[in-house]
Amino acid sequence: TDAFQKALEADPNRIEAQLGLGICLLHQEKPEPAIACFERVIARTPSHETALFGKAVAQQLLWKFDEATALYLQLLAKNPRSEECLVNLVTIGMARKDHDAVQKYSEQLLTLRPHSQAALEGLATCAFHRNDYEAAAQLCTKLTESGPEHFERWFNLGVAYQKTGRLEQAMNAYREAGKLRPDGSEANANLGAALHERGDLEGAAAMYQVALEDRKSTRLNSSHIPLSRMP
C-alpha cells in the first residue's frame, strides 16, 4: 500500500494507483477505505469494470448484499461469461439462504465451467433444501472426488446417503469425514445413528459415547453442514 500511496501523493489522478491501493486494502480486509478508492476511479470512468467489481466485493464483505448484487448484475449485463461475478452471486445467495438465486446462478456458472466447485456446492445446497437427497448424493460425490480434503463434503455425502437408506455408503462417508476431523462430533454422532439404524447397537453406543465426549454434539442425525460460508 505504501508504494501506491506515494504514487498518489505524486499524482492524485493516477487511476492505476487508486485501483492498486483499493485491491491491497481488500486483501487487508479493509473494505470501507477500499470502496473510497474504487469510487474515485468510477467517478472518472463510470464503466471501469475492475473498479466496479472491486467495489462490489467490498460491499459483499460488508454484507451490503443488495448493493453488491446490483453491481455484479451490471457487470454481467456487459459480460455474461464473468465467472467471478457468478461465483460471488452464488455466495451471496448462500449467505442469504435465497435458494432460488443460488440455483439460478449455479446453473449459469455450470454452463461456463462444468466442474465449478462453487456451482456444485450451490446446487447441492439447493438439493438438500428441497429434500432431494438423491441429487444431493450425486452432487456431493462429485465434490468429494474433486476435493477429498473437505470434511463438510464427506459429512454431507453421508447425510445424503443416510437419508436415502444407503447405510453402508453413509457410514463410509462419515468415516472419511472422521479421518479429517477426528473430534468432529457431527460425523461421530451420525455414524452412531447409522450403526443404530442398521442394528449394531454396540457399535452405535461406542460412537455415541465418542460424540458425547467431544461435548459438542447437540443432536443426532443432524442436517447437512453449509458448504460455503461468507469470509
Side-chain angles (χ1 to χ4, degrees):
T1 57
D2 290 343
F4 291 121
Q5 287 172 337
K6 288 179 180 178
L8 287 170
E9 289 173 4
D11 181 3
N13 295 319
R14 289 189 64 178
I15 288 179
E16 298 84 359
Q18 287 286 3
L19 284 174
L21 180 58
I23 292 169
C24 286
L25 290 168
L26 277 183
H27 286 302
Q28 294 174 5
E29 298 184 0
K30 298 177 180 177
E32 290 180 332
I35 287 175
C37 293
F38 296 130
E39 285 181 339
R40 292 187 189 103
V41 176
I42 294 168
R44 296 184 60 197
T45 312
S47 61
H48 199 292
E49 291 187 11
T50 302
L52 290 169
F53 184 80
K55 182 179 178 181
V57 171
Q59 289 174 325
Q60 184 177 350
L61 290 171
L62 291 169
W63 289 65
K64 295 182 178 180
F65 294 144
D66 288 341
E67 295 89 337
T69 297
L71 285 173
Y72 289 136
L73 293 177
Q74 179 181 336
L75 289 165
L76 277 174
K78 295 181 179 180
N79 179 16
R81 299 184 65 82
S82 174
E83 294 179 23
E84 296 84 358
C85 288
L86 288 169
V87 167
N88 288 0
L89 285 168
V90 170
T91 303
I92 288 174
M94 299 271 272
R96 299 178 104 166
K97 298 184 179 179
D98 182 347
H99 296 97
D100 289 340
V102 173
Q103 184 82 26
K104 174 183 177 181
Y105 297 123
S106 294
E107 289 175 349
Q108 285 183 235
L109 182 57
L110 211 59
T111 62
L112 299 176
R113 187 173 292 276
H115 302 291
S116 167
Q117 301 298 287
L120 292 172
E121 289 180 351
L123 292 174
T125 297
C126 292
F128 276 113
H129 176 69
R130 63 177 183 269
N131 298 327
D132 186 351
Y133 298 112
E134 286 289 349
Q138 292 175 14
L139 291 160
C140 289
T141 296
K142 292 180 181 179
L143 286 166
T144 56
E145 289 172 350
S146 58
E149 71 281 4
H150 292 278
F151 168 86
E152 292 82 0
R153 295 180 179 183
W154 284 109
F155 178 84
N156 290 340
L157 180 58
V159 171
Y161 279 145
Q162 190 170 1
K163 293 288 189 180
T164 56
R166 287 174 278 183
L167 296 180
E168 289 296 330
Q169 291 167 291
M171 289 187 290
N172 288 336
Y174 291 139
R175 290 187 181 107
E176 291 296 328
K179 292 176 185 177
L180 294 169
R181 193 180 297 171
D183 61 347
S185 62
E186 306 100 327
N188 292 329
N190 279 23
L191 178 55
L195 287 164
H196 195 168
E197 190 174 349
R198 195 182 66 171
D200 183 353
L201 300 184
E202 184 176 347
M207 292 313 304
Y208 288 154
Q209 184 61 38
V210 171
L212 288 171
E213 287 171 358
D214 292 333
R215 304 186 68 167
K216 297 176 183 177
S217 180
T218 57
R219 70 187 215 188
L220 303 179
N221 198 23
S222 60
S223 61
H224 73 289
I225 296 174
L227 285 156
S228 293
R229 299 179 178 87
M230 284 290 294

